[in-house]
C-alpha cells in the first residue's frame, strides 16, 4: 500500500517529560518524544541488525578495533546548519559528561578521527563485542555542536527549543497539556515524513488516557500508557490495532531484587525457594493479560546469546517450603518494595506477597513513591524489591551490569543492586565483552546464564511486553527495534 | 480601609515567611532527592552522574546555606530555578496558574451558588421531605470520593454521550480564537469545575441552612413580620443577608482546601494546573518547584482570606475599618 | 443528659445515622470473625461478577479476592483511620484553641499564627507530603490526616473559649481563686464541647475520604485493606468490573452519610435554641 | 373611665403551651379591650403570659402554641381566624409593635432609613422618594438628633435610646390604630427610659392611638397607664383603672407585687463613722483601648477616671449611674478581673493591686462577687454543690468539709440542702441568685461586690433577695459594694451612695443626704428620672 501524505497524529505521553533535550535527559518520555527530533547514526531492525541512520554505511576492521562510519550527505540541522562529522565527535564528548550509559559504552574508545566532513573513525583500545549496538538515538543522539560548544550545557537556552536532524521539529510545548511537533520540510529523505504534525498529549490519569483513546481524541497509546486490565477491552474496539513489536532492543525484563548481603535473602536456598513460590504464569495471565513470557533467566529471549539451557523453576510451593526449611528460615520479617509505577505493579506486588505468604514467608509490604523507591534500592535498604530493566540488545550492555561485582555501587539504582559477587561470573562477562565475533562470545554467556540461574541472585519474573495500541489507520508506525522511540519518520495516516 | 489592607498584608508576609521556612524543612525531610529520581529514570547511572546532578541542584551545600539562599531569593520575589524542568520556578507556576485559578474560581462559584440555593431551600422547608432530599443530595457528593465522581462524570458525559470533552484545557490543534475559544475552554471546564463544586457545595448548603434557621429566630425577623412584609421579602432581605455572613467566613477558610483539592481533579481531567504541577514536583523531589507551589498556594489562600474579609466587612457595617 | 438522648432520638436522621454507625462498628469489630482469612487471599477466578459464585455474593476483584471480605476487613481500617485521626486532631486542636482563646494577647496571637500556617498550606497537599515523608503506613496516614485537620478545631474552640471566657460563671471561678488550668478544663471546655462534637462527627467522615484519596495516589498502607484502597484499586478496572469499586464506594458513602446525619442530629440536640422553640 | 368603644377586644383567649412546658396554658381565659387614646398596661411577673398576649394581637404566635379558644375582634373580624394574607395587610398598617430589645429588633445590616421606608414598601405606599422623606419626618418627630445622619446610620451606630426611638418611628409610620409595646424601656437606663415614656405618651395622645403597654415595672405603670391589667400564670387576676389598681389593689397577688416595689424613701440608718476601712480605693484609672495595631488608629474609652472611695467594715456603698458610666468597670477593677492603669486597691492590710500568682489567688477569698445574671453566672454543667464547694476546695479545704459547709450555706440563703445534687437549670431565677450568693459566702469573705445583683429579678423576688442580703450582711458583718442603676433599690440598702458619670465619681454622700439634698446636676437628673414617683408615693 502506497503511503499517503499529510495528517495529524495525536499520541499520549506519560509522564510529562522534564525536558526534550535528549543529551541531558534520558528518561522514557523524553526519548519517546525526542526520537522524532534527534537521530542517531544507526537504527536497528527487530532482529537487532544495524540499519542506516545518519550513517549511510559502516565497516569494521578485522581485529575489531577500528570502526569507520560514512555519514549521509546533505543532512542539515533544523536551523539550517549542515550536519558534519565534527558534530558526531562533539556529541560523544557531550554525552560522556551527561549520559551514564554513553560514558560506559564509549569507555573503550581510544580516539576518534574525522578525515573529512562525512567520515568518522573510532579506534578502540580493545575489541568491544557489542560496539555496533550503541548507535541508536537513545544511546547516542546527535547534538548540534554549533549551539552547544563552549556553553554551560545545563543552562543553555537552546535546551528549551531542541534542535536535531530528525523528521519532525519542535514547535510548541504547553506544559501540562501537550507537545507539538511539526514536519521537517527539509528532511534529507525526500517525501518523508508523511505526517504534518504530531501532538503528544499529557494525560496523567490512566483511565482518562483510555477514555481519550476511546473517544477518538488520541490515536496512539504507546506501551504502558494504559493499565493492562484495559488492554483487552480497548483492543476489542472497532478499528483498533495492537502490537507488541518495537521493544526488541529494550526487551524489558522484570525481576525481584533479592538482597544478597543480609537477612534471609542472603541464603541461596531461600532465594531458590522464592523462585519456586512465585506463580509467574498467574502473573502473566491475570496481571499482564497474557502478554509477555515467563523469564527463564537473566537474559531476555530476544537478547543476543540467550540460552534456554538453564535450570527450571516451575511454580511449586511444596518445593519452596522444603527449601525454606533447609535454609533454616524461621519467619523473620521480609520487606517487599513494590514498584511505584501504577496499579498493575501494585497488583503484582500483592499477588507476589500472597505467593510468598502461602509458602510461609512473612512479608511486610513497604509502600514508596518513585524517589523513595530509587533511594531505598540504590542504598540497599530492602529485602525484596520489584524492578524492571532494559537490556539494550546485548548482554554486555544490559545484562552483565546487574551481576558483576564491579557494578556494586551504592547510590545508583540500576546496577548490581542485589550485591551478588562471584569472581567466575565477573570473568565470564569480562571475557564475553572483549571477545570479537558471535561464535567467540556465545560460550561465555551460555555458562554465565547457567551459573546465575542456579544461584538466583535475583528472582526473574517476566519478559515484559508493553503493547502499543493504535487506531488501525495509523500505518507503519513501528519499524525498528526501539519502536515508537525511533520517531514517526515512516508512519502515515490512511484517511 | 487601605490601612487595614496594609496591616493584613504585613501579617500575611510574616505567615508566608514562616511557611517558607517550615516547608523548606519539611520537604527536605522527605527521603530521596531529585538526583536519585533522575538517575532512576535514566534507567542507568553511575556515581559521576548522581554527583553532577546533586551539584546542579545545589544539594551539595549544607542545608542552612541552602535555606539562606532560598530565603534570600524569595525576598526578591525569585522562587528559584527548577533544574529538572530547566526553567525558573516562577515561570512554570505562572504558566499553570491561570488554569488553576479558572478552575478553582469557577468551582468556588458553583459550590457557593448551589450551596446557598440548596441551603436556602432546605431552611425554607426545614423538617419536610424536601429538606431531607436536599440534605441527602448534597451529602452524596460530599461523601463520594472526588476521583470517583470525576471518573463517573467522564464516563457519563464523554463516553456514554459525547457532550463534553474528558481531558485538557482546550481542544488541542483547533486554534480557536475569540468567542469560539471561550466556548471551547468553557466546555472543557464544565466537568472538572462541577466535580469540585459539587463536593464543596455540601458544606455551604449545610452552613446556609443552619445559619438561616438561626437568623430566623432573631428579633428583627419578628420586627419585619410585624411590618407586614411578605415572607419572601423577609427571607431574602432580612434572613438571607444576615445568614450569609458566616458562609462568607467559611468560604474564606475553605479556599485552602479548594486549591489543594484540585490535585485529584486536575489529575483525572488532565487539567494543566498547579495542583498537578505540585504533585509531580513532589514525586520528583523537585524541591524548588514544590516549595514555590506551596508558597504560591499559601499566598493565594491568604489573598482569598483577605478578600472574603473585605467582603465580610463591606457586608457587615458593624465591623469598621477604623479610619 | 436524658434530655439530650430524648431530643437526639426524636431526630429520625440522627437515629438512622446512629444505627448505621453502630452496624458499621459491629462489622469492624466482629466481621473478621466471619471472614477469618486474610482479605488479600486470592480465592477464585478474577473478575467474578456479584451473585454468580456461591459464597462470593459481591464477586471477586482483579486478582480473584473476595470483595465482601475486603469490605468487612476494610471497615476496621477505615473507621479506625477516621476515629483515631479525629481524636488526634482534637487532642491538638482543643488545647491550642483553648489556650489561644483563654490567654489571648501575644500567646494567643502566636498560636493563631501557628494555626494559620497549617491552614494556608493546602491541606491535601500537606497530607501528601507528610505521608510521603513518613512513608505510607497506617500510623503516618493517621498522623498526616490529624495534622491537616486540627486547625479548624483550634479555630472553633478558640471562638467558643473567647466568648465563654467572659461569661459570668468563668469570672466567678476566677474570683474564687481557681487556677487557669482548672478554669479551662472544668469551667470552659465542657461548655464549648457541643460544637466541637458536631465538627468531630464531620471530621471522621472527611478523614475516611482523605484516606481513600491518599490510597488513590498510591499512598495508602499496602498491608491493610481499607475501603479507600478498594475504591482506588478498583477504579482502574471500573469499565470491566464495576462491582469492585462500587461496593466499597457505597460503604464509604453510607458511613459518611451516617456520620453527617449524626452530626446534624447532635447539632439539633445540643442546641437548646433549636429544640425548644418552634417557628 | 370613658366608655369609648374598643378598637380591639381580646375575648376569653386561651393559648396552649406545647407538651412538656411548666403549665398547660400560656394564656388562660384572658379578655381585654384596647380603646383609642388610652394606654392599657399589662403587668405581671416574668413568664405570666404578657408577651403571648401581644404576639397574639400581632398574629405572631409561634406555631407550637395552640389557639384553644377565644377570639380577637378587630373591625368586626376575628383575627384568630385570619389567614396570612389578611395579616399582611393588617400588620404594621393597623396594628404596630415596638419590641423590648432595641439592640436586636433592628436588622444590623440595614440602614435605619431603609428600615423605616420598608414599612411603606410593605404596604405598597408612596414612591421611594416620598418614603425617604416621610421616614426623615418621622425620625424628626420622635426626636432623634440629626435625623439626616440617623437615616443613613446602621443600628449599631445609635445608642439604645436612639434605637428605641427609631423603632417607635417605624411603628408609627403608617399611623396604626393600635400600638403594642412589649417592655419597650426595660433595656434602657432611667434617664432614657423617662424620655421614651414621655415620647410614647405624647405620640399616643396626639394620634389618639390605643396602646397596649407591657411592663413589669410598677413605676412605669404609675407614670403612663390609663388602665392596668395584672396577669399571673396566664390568668387575669385584676383589671381596672390605673388609680384603682395601684391605690386600691383587690387581689392579694397585686398587693404583693406593689408591696415589693422599693420606696424612694431611704430608711433610717445608724452612722458607721469610726469603723476600720475594709476597702480603700485610691486614684483608680482605667482606659480601654480597642482596635489599634500597626496601622490602625485606636479607640479609647476612659471607664474609670481618678476613682477614690473607701468602704468601712459592715458598710454598704452604693454605686449608681447611667448605663456605660463605668460602674461594672470599677467592680471588675476592684475584683482584679481587669488590671487598672493606675491606682491602688487596699483590702485591709494588703495591697490588692500589687500581688500576683498564688498570693493573689489566696487573697481573692477576702473579696467575693455576686453577679448580675443568675442564668449566666452558674456553670450549667456543674452541680450546685460543686459550684459552691469549688472555691473552698481550691483554697485547701478538704472536699467533705467543703460539701458539708455548702449544704449549710444553702440553708443560710433559704434553700434546701437537697439542692446540692441538682444542676442550675433546675432552679428559678431567684433561687439561682441565692446560689450565687451562697457561692460568694462560701469563702467567708470580708467584702462582697454585687454588680446589679437584683436587676434581673422580678420585683417580688428582688425584694426577697434584698432582704436576704441585708440580713446576711448584718449577721456576718460584711462590707458591700452594691452596684445598681435602680435608685429605689439603692435607697433601701446602701449606707452611702456614689454617683458615677463618664468614669468619674461626681458625688458621694450618705444615702439620706443624697436623696434629700443632691448637689450635682447629674444626681438631680437621675433622681428626677426615676419613674412612678408621684403615684408610687401615693401607693406606698
Ligand atoms: N415559643 C415558645 N414556645 C413555647 N413556650 C413558650 C414560647 N414562648 C414563651 N413560652 C412560654 O409561655 C409562657 C408565657 O411566656 P411570655 O413570653 O408570654 O411571658 P412574659 O410574661 O412575656 O415574660 P417576660 O416578662 O419574661 O417577658 C412562659 O411559660 C414561657 O415559658
Ligand atoms: N472590654 C472593654 N473594652 C472596651 N471598652 C469597654 C470594655 N468594657 C466596657 N467598655 C466601655 O467602658 C465604658 C464603661 O463600661 P461599664 O461596663 O463599666 O459600664 P456600666 O456603668 O457598668 O454600664 P451598665 O449599666 O450598662 O452595665 C462603656 O463605654 C463601655 O462601652
Ligand atoms: Mg415577655
Ligand atoms: Mg454594668
Amino acid at each position: 500500500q502506497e503511503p499517503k501524505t499529510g495528517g495529524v497524529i495525536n499520541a499520549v505521553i506519560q509522564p510529562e517529560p522534564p525536558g526534550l533535550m535528549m543529551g541531558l535527559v534520558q528518561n522514557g518520555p523524553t526519548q519517546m518524544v525526542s526520537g522524532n527530533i534527534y537521530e542517531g547514526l544507526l537504527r536497528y531492525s527487530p532482529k537487532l541488525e544495524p540499519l542506516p541512520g545518519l550513517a549511510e554505511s559502516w565497516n569494521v576492521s578485522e581485529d575489531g578495533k577500528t570502526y569507520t562510519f560514512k555519514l549521509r550527505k546533505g543532512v542539515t540541522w533544523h536551523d539550517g546548519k549542515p550536519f558534519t562529522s565534527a558534530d558526531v565527535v562533539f556529541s560523544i564528548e557531550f554525552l560522556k559528561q551527561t549520559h551514564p550509559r554513553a560514558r560506559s559504552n564509549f569507555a573503550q574508545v581510544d580516539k576518534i578521527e574525522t578525515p573529512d566532513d562525512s567520515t568518522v573513525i573510532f579506534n578502540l583500545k580493545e575489541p568491544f563485542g557489542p560496539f555496533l549496538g550503541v548507535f541508536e538515538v537513545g544511546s547516542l543522539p546527535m547534538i548540534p555542536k554549533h549551539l552547544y560548544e563552549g556553553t554551560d550545557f545545563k543552562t543553555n537556552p537552546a535546551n528549551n527549543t531542541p534542535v536535531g536532524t530528525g523528521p519532525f521539529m519542535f514547535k510548541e510545548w504547553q506544559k501540562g497539556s501537550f507537545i507539538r511537533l511539526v514536519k521537517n520540510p527539509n528532511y534529507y529523505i525526500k517525501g518523508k515524513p508523511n505526517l504534518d504534525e504530531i501532538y503528544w498529549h499529557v494525560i496523567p490519569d490512566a483511565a482518562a488516557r483510555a477514555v481519550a483513546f476511546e473517544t477518538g481524541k488520541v490515536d496512539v497509546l504507546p506501551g504502558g500508557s494504559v493499565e493492562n486490565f484495559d488492554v483487552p477491552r480497548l483492543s476489542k474496539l472497532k478499528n483498533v490495532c495492537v502490537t507488541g513489536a518495537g521493544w526488541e532492543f529494550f526487551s524489558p525484563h522484570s525481576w525481584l531484587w533479592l538482597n544478597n548481603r543480609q537477612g534471609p535473602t542472603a541464603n541461596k536456598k531461600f532465594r531458590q525457594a522464592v523462585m519456586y513460590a512465585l506463580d509467574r504464569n498467574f502473573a502473566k495471565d491475570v496481571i499482564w493479560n497474557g502478554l509477555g513470557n515467563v523469564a527463564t533467566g537473566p537474559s531476555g529471549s530476544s537478547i543476543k546469546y540467550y540460552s534456554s539451557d538453564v535450570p527450571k523453576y516451575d511454580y511449586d510451593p511444596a518445593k519452596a517450603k522444603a527449601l525454606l526449611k533447609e535454609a533454616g528460615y524461621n519467619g523473620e520479617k521480609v520487606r517487599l518494595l513494590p514498584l511505584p509505577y501504577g496499579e498493575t505493579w501494585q497488583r503484582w506486588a500483592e499477588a507476589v506477597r500472597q505467593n510468598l505468604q502461602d509458602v510461609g514467608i512473612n512479608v511486610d509490604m513497604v509502600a514508596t513513591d518513585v524517589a523513595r523507591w530509587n533511594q531505598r534500592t540504590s542504598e540497599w535498604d530492602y529485602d525484596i524489591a520489584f524492578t524492571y530493566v532494559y537490556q539494550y540488545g546485548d548482554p554486555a550492555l544490559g545484562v552483565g551490569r546487574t551481576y558483576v561485582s564491579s557494578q556494586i555501587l551504592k547510590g545508583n539504582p540500576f546496577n548490581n543492586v542485589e550485591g551478588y559477587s562471584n569472581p567466575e561470573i565477573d570473568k565470564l562477562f569480562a571475557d564475553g565483552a572483549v571477545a570479537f565475533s558471535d561464535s567467540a562470545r556465545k560460550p561465555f554467556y551460555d555458562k554465565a546464564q547457567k551459573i546465575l540461574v542456579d544461584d538466583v541472585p535475583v528472582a526473574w519474573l517476566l519478559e515484559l511486553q508493553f503493547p502499543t495500541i493504535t487506531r488501525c489507520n495509523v500505518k507503519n508506525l513501528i519499524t525498528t527495534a526501539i519502536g515508537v522511540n525511533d520517531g514517526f519518520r515512516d508512519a502515515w495516516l490512511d484517511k | 480601609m487601605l490601612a487595614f489592607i496594609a496591616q493584613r498584608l504585613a501579617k500575611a508576609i510574616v505567615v508566608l515567611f514562616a511557611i517558607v521556612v517550615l516547608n523548606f524543612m519539611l520537604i527536605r525531610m522527605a527521603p530521596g532527592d531529585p538526583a536519585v529520581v533522575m538517575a532512576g529514570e535514566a534507567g542507568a547511572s553511575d556515581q559521576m552522574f548522581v554527583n553532577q546532578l546533586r551539584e546542579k541542584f545545589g544539594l551539595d551545600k549544607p542545608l542552612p546555606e541552602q535555606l539562606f539562599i532560598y530565603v534570600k531569593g524569595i525576598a526578591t520575589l525569585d522562587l528559584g530555578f527548577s533544574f529538572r524542568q530547566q526553567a525558573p520556578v516562577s515561570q512554570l507556576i505562572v504558566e499553570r496558574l491561570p488554569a488553576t485559578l479558572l478552575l478553582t474560581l469557577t468551582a468556588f462559584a458553583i459550590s457557593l451558588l448551589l450551596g446557598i440555593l440548596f441551603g436556602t431551600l432546605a431552611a425554607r422547608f426545614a423538617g419536610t421531605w424536601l429538606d431531607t432530599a436536599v440534605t441527602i443530595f448534597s451529602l452524596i457528593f460530599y461523601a463520594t470520593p472526588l476521583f470517583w465522581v470525576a471518573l463517573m462524570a467522564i464516563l457519563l458525559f464523554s463516553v456514554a454521550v459525547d457532550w463534553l470533552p474528558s481531558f485538557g484545557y482546550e481542544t488541542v490543534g483547533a486554534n480557536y480564537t475569540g468567542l469560539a475559544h471561550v466556548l471551547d475552554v468553557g466546555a472543557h471546564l464544565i466537568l472538572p469545575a462541577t466535580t469540585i463544586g459539587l463536593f464543596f457545595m455540601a458544606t455551604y448548603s449545610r452552613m446556609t441552612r443552619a445559619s438561616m434557621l438561626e437568623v430566623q429566630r432573631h428579633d428583627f425577623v419578628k420586627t419585619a413580620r410585624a411590618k407586614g412584609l411578605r415572607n419572601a421579602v423577609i427571607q431574602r432581605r432580612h434572613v438571607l443577608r444576615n445568614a450569609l455572613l458566616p458562609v462568607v467566613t467559611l468560604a474564606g477558610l475553605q479556599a485552602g482546601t479548594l486549591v489543594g483539592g484540585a490535585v485529584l481533579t486536575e489529575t483525572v481531567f488532565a487539567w494543566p494546573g498547579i495542583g498537578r504541577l505540585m504533585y509531580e514536583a513532589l514525586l520528583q523531589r523537585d524541591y524548588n518547584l514544590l516549595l514555590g507551589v506551596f508558597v504560591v498556594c499559601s499566598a493565594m489562600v491568604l489573598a482569598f482570606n483577605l478578600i472574603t474579609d473585605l467582603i465580610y466587612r463591606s457586608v457587615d457595617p458593624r465591623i469598621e475599618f477604623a479610619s | 443528659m436524658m434530655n439530650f438522648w430524648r431530643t437526639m432520638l426524636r431526630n429520625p436522621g440522627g437515629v438512622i445515622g446512629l444505627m448505621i454507625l453502630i452496624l458499621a462498628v459491629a462489622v469492624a469489630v466482629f466481621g473478621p470473625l466471619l471472614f477469618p482469612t486474610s482479605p488479600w487471599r486470592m480465592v477464585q477466578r478474577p473478575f467474578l461478577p456479584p451473585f454468580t459464585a456461591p459464597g462470593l455474593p459481591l464477586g471477586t476483584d482483579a486478582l480473584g479476592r473476595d470483595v465482601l471480605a475486603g469490605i468487612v476487613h476494610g471497615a476496621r481500617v477505615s473507621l479506625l483511620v477516621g476515629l483515631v485521626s479525629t481524636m488526634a486532631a482534637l487532642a491538638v486542636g482543643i488545647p491550642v484553641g483553648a489556650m489561644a482563646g483563654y490567654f489571648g494577647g501575644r500567646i494567643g496571637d502566636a498560636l493563631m499564627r501557628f494555626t494559620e500556617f497549617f491552614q494556608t498550606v493546602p491541606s491535601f497537599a500537606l497530607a501528601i507530603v507528610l505521608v510521603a515523608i513518613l512513608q505510607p503506613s497506617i500510623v503516618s496516614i493517621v498522623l498526616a490526616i490529624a495534622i491537616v485537620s486540627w486547625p479548624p478545631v483550634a479555630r472553633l474552640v478558640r471562638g467558643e473559649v473567647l466568648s465563654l471566657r467572659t461569661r459570668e460563671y468563668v469570672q466567678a471561678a476566677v474570683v474564687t481563686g481557681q487556677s487557669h488550668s482548672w478554669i479551662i478544663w472544668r469551667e470552659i471546655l465542657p461548655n464549648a464541647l457541643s460544637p466541637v462534637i458536631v465538627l468531630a462527627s464531620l471530621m471522621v467522615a472527611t478523614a475516611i475520604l482523605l484516606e481513600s484519596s491518599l490510597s488513590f495516589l498510591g499512598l495508602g498502607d499496602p498491608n491493610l485493606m481499607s475501603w479507600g484502597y478498594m475504591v482506588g484499586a478498583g477504579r482502574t478496572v471500573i469499565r470491566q468490573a464495576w462491582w469492585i469499586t462500587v461496593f466499597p464506594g457505597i460503604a464509604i458513602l453510607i458511613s459518611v452519610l451516617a456520620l453527617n446525619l449524626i452530626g446534624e442530629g447532635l447539632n439539633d440536640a445540643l442546641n437548646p435554641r433549636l429544640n425548644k422553640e418552634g417557628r | 373611665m370613658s366608655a369609648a368603644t374598643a378598637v380591639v377586644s381580646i375575648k376569653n383567649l386561651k393559648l396552649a403551651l406545647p407538651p412538656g412546658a411548666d403549665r398547660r396554658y400560656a394564656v388562660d381565659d384572658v379578655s381585654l379591650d384596647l380603646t383609642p387614646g388610652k394606654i392599657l398596661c399589662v403587668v405581671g411577673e416574668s413568664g405570666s403570659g404578657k408577651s403571648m398576649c401581644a404576639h397574639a394581637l400581632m398574629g405572631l404566635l409561634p406555631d407550637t402554641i395552640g389557639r384553644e379558644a377565644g377570639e380577637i375582634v378587630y373591625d368586626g373580624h376575628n383575627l384568630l381566624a385570619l389567614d396570612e394574607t389578611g395579616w399582611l395587610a393588617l400588620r404594621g398598617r393597623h396594628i404596630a409593635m415596638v419590641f423590648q430589645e432595641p439592640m436586636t429588633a433592628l436588622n444590623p445590616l440595614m440602614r435605619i432609613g431603609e428600615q423605616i421606608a420598608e414599612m411603606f414598601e410593605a404596604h405598597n405606599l408612596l414612591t421611594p422618594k416620598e418614603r425617604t422623606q416621610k421616614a426623615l419626618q418621622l425620625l424628626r418627630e420622635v426626636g432623634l438628633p440629626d435625623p439626616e445622619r440617623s437615616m443613613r446610620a446602621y443600628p449599631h451606630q445609635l445608642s439604645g435610646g436612639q434605637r428605641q426611638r427609631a423603632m417607635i418611628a417605624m411603628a408609627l409610620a403608617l399611623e396604626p390604630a393600635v400600638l403594642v409595646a412589649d417592655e419597650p424601656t426595660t433595656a434602657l437606663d432611667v434617664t432614657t427610659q423617662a424620655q421614651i415614656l414621655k415620647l410614647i405618651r405624647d405620640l399616643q395622645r396626639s394620634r389618639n392611638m390605643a396602646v397596649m403597654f407591657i411592663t413589669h415595672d410598677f413605676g412605669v405603670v404609675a407614670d403612663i397607664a390609663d388602665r392596668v391589667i395584672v396577669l399571673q400564670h396566664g390568668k387575669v387576676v385584676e383589671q381596672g383603672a390605673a388609680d384603682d389598681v395601684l391605690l386600691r389593689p383587690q387581689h392579694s397577688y397585686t398587693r404583693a407585687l406593689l408591696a415589693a416595689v422599693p420606696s424612694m424613701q431611704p430608711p433610717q440608718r445608724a452612722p458607721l463613722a469610726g469603723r476600720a476601712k475594709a476597702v480603700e480605693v485610691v486614684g483608680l484609672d482605667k482606659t480601654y483601648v480597642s482596635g489599634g495595631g500597626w496601622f490602625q488608629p485606636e479607640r479609647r474609652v476612659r471607664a474609670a477616671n481618678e476613682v477614690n472611695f473607701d468602704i468601712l467594715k459592715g458598710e454598704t456603698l452604693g454605686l449608681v449611674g447611667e448605663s456605660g458610666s463605668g460602674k461594672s468597670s470599677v467592680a471588675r477593677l476592684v475584683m482584679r478581673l481587669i488590671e487598672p492603669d493606675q491606682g491602688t486597691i487596699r483590702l485591709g492590710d494588703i495591697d490588692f493591686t500589687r500581688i500576683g500568682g498564688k498570693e493573689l489567688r489566696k487573697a481573692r477569698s477576702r473579696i467575693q462577687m455576686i453577679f448580675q445574671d443568675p442564668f449566666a453566672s452558674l456553670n450549667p454543667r456543674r452541680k450546685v454543690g460543686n459550684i459552691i464547694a469549688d472555691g473552698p476546695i481550691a483554697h485547701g479545704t478538704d472536699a467533705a468539709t467543703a460539701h458539708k459547709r455548702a449544704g449549710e450555706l444553702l440553708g443560710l440563703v433559704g434553700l434546701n440542702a437537697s439542692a446540692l445534687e441538682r444542676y442550675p437549670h433546675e432552679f428559678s431565677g431567684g433561687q439561682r441568685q441565692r446560689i450565687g450568693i451562697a457561692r460568694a459566702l462560701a469563702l467567708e469573705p470580708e467584702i462582697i461586690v454585687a454588680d446589679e445583683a437584683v436587676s434581673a429579678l422580678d420585683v417580688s423576688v428582688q425584694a426577697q433577695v434584698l432582704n436576704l442580703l441585708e440580713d446576711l450582711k448584718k449577721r456576718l458583718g460584711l462590707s458591700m459594694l452594691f452596684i445598681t442603676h435602680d435608685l429605689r433599690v439603692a435607697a433601701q440598702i446602701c449606707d452611702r451612695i456614689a454617683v458615677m458619670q463618664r468614669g468619674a465619681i461626681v458625688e458621694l454622700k450618705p444615702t439620706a443626704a443624697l436623696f434629700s439634698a443632691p448637689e450635682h446636676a447629674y444626681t438631680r437628673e437621675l433622681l428626677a428620672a426615676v419613674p412612678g414617683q408621684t403615684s408610687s408615693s401615693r401607693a406606698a
Side-chain angles (χ1 to χ4, degrees), chain D residues 189 288-290 299 301-304 321-330 332 338 372 451-452 483 485 500:
Chain D
D189 63 71
Y288 291 111
V289 183
S290 52
R299 191 180 78 100
V301 179
R302 193 148 190 203
E322 67 185 354
S323 180
S325 55
K327 307 182 294 292
S328 294
S329 301
V330 168
R332 288 150 58 84
I338 50 177
Q372 167 169 14
D451 186 359
E452 312 266 11
I483 296 173
H485 63 257
M500 269 194 98

Side-chain angles (χ1 to χ4, degrees), chain A residues 14-32:
Chain A
Q14 170 57 28
E16 185 165 24
L20 292 178
M21 167 53 187
M22 256 184 129
L24 290 173
V25 193
Q26 283 96 44
N27 80 350
T30 302
Q31 298 208 12
M32 200 173 280

Side-chain angles (χ1 to χ4, degrees), chain A residues 205 207 211 214 227 229-230 233 282 286-287 343 346-347 350-351 353-354 358 364-367 369 372 376, chain C residues 38 40-42 46-47 62-63 65 132-136 216 218 220 222-223 229 232-233 235-237 239-240:
Chain A
D205 181 57
V211 167
E214 241 172 298
E227 296 292 347
F229 303 105
D230 251 352
R233 188 175 62 82
F282 174 86
V286 171
I287 295 163
E343 296 296 324
Q346 190 60 36
R347 289 300 88 69
E350 288 161 10
R353 173 177 60 186
Q354 196 60 48
D358 283 347
D364 183 36
M365 193 129 103
V366 181
D369 61 3
R372 187 149 210 186
R376 289 189 75 143
Chain C
S38 156
W40 300 102
R41 177 163 296 278
M42 301 170 255
F47 296 126
L63 290 183
R65 299 177 293 213
I133 290 174
L134 299 170
Q135 126 163 359
F216 167 67
N223 294 305
Y229 161 82
R235 202 188 73 94
T236 49
V237 290
R239 311 290 296 279
Q240 295 92 316

Side-chain angles (χ1 to χ4, degrees), chain D residues 429-458:
Chain D
Q431 289 171 324
R432 284 161 165 255
Q433 202 58 315
R434 286 163 193 262
I435 296 169
I437 294 169
R439 168 175 59 194
L441 295 176
L443 283 169
E444 301 177 2
E446 295 150 30
I447 309 123
I448 282 196
V449 174
D451 186 359
E452 312 266 11
V454 293
S455 307
L457 305 176
D458 281 334

Side-chain angles (χ1 to χ4, degrees), chain D residues 152-168:
Chain D
R152 272 176 281 115
Y154 287 99
H156 74 277
Q157 291 164 329
L158 301 182
S159 75
Q162 291 171 335
R163 262 179 278 199
Q164 201 57 293
R165 282 173 198 264
M167 273 298 294
I168 292 170

Side-chain angles (χ1 to χ4, degrees), chain C residues 168-169 171-172 174-179 182 186-187 190-191 278-279, chain D residues 63 332 335 361 364 368 371 373 376-377 379-381 390 394-395 439:
Chain C
E168 288 186 347
Y169 62 81
Q171 300 190 344
V174 175
V175 301
T176 49
Q178 306 291 359
S179 65
W182 200 94
R186 297 295 188 81
E187 303 284 347
N191 288 293
R279 283 196 308 146
Chain D
D63 48 20
R332 288 150 58 84
M335 292 306 300
R361 256 187 268 147
R364 280 194 187 282
Q368 286 294 300
F371 292 87
D373 187 343
S377 61
N379 186 341
R381 288 178 202 256
D390 279 343
H395 285 270
R439 168 175 59 194

Side-chain angles (χ1 to χ4, degrees), chain A residues 46 243-251 466 468 478-485:
Chain A
T243 172
W247 289 89
E248 297 81 2
F249 182 72
F250 302 117
S251 59
F466 297 124
T468 305
I478 290 168
T479 52
T480 69
I482 65 168
V484 179
N485 285 13

